[in-house]
Amino acid sequence: MSYKKIDMICRFATVSSTLTSGCVKNIKGTNIAYVKPHILSVNGNDYLLFEELFINGYFKSIKLKDLERYLKETK
């Protein structure tokens, strides 16, 4: 996912946002890895960025192409 694309969508929707980068955390001594997603924060809502956008958890998701419309509706 492109940071520039997400920033452009937020500017078109006229919302201020912050984007926190995710990472992969490996647990030493095991073969377990934890994937921390990128997090987009807009108006008190957190959007977890995987292949889809998950809103405030993993229960409701939207596609990236629908993000601008969703942000305008939730203003």
Side-chain angles (χ1 to χ4, degrees):
M1 237 177 253
S2 169
Y3 290 130
K4 289 181 182 181
K5 184 184 275 187
I6 293 170
D7 183 50
M8 183 179 64
I9 290 170
C10 289
R11 281 189 282 133
F12 282 139
T14 62
V15 295
S16 60
S17 63
T18 58
L19 187 61
T20 307
S21 296
C23 61
V24 176
K25 302 244 181 203
N26 292 316
I27 300 172
K28 291 183 180 181
T30 67
N31 61 351
I32 299 172
Y34 169 74
V35 177
K36 181 180 176 186
H38 302 299
I39 300 172
L40 174 67
S41 296
V42 178
N43 298 331
N45 290 323
D46 291 332
Y47 301 89
L48 306 177
L49 305 173
F50 290 106
E51 290 180 9
E52 294 183 11
L53 294 139
F54 291 93
I55 304 162
N56 289 331
Y58 298 103
F59 301 109
K60 185 176 179 185
S61 67
I62 58 173
K63 302 282 186 193
L64 182 61
K65 67 178 184 169
D66 300 327
L67 178 62
E68 181 182 359
R69 181 175 47 93
Y70 183 81
L71 290 175
K72 285 181 179 180
E73 289 174 358
T74 58
K75 269 189 183 180

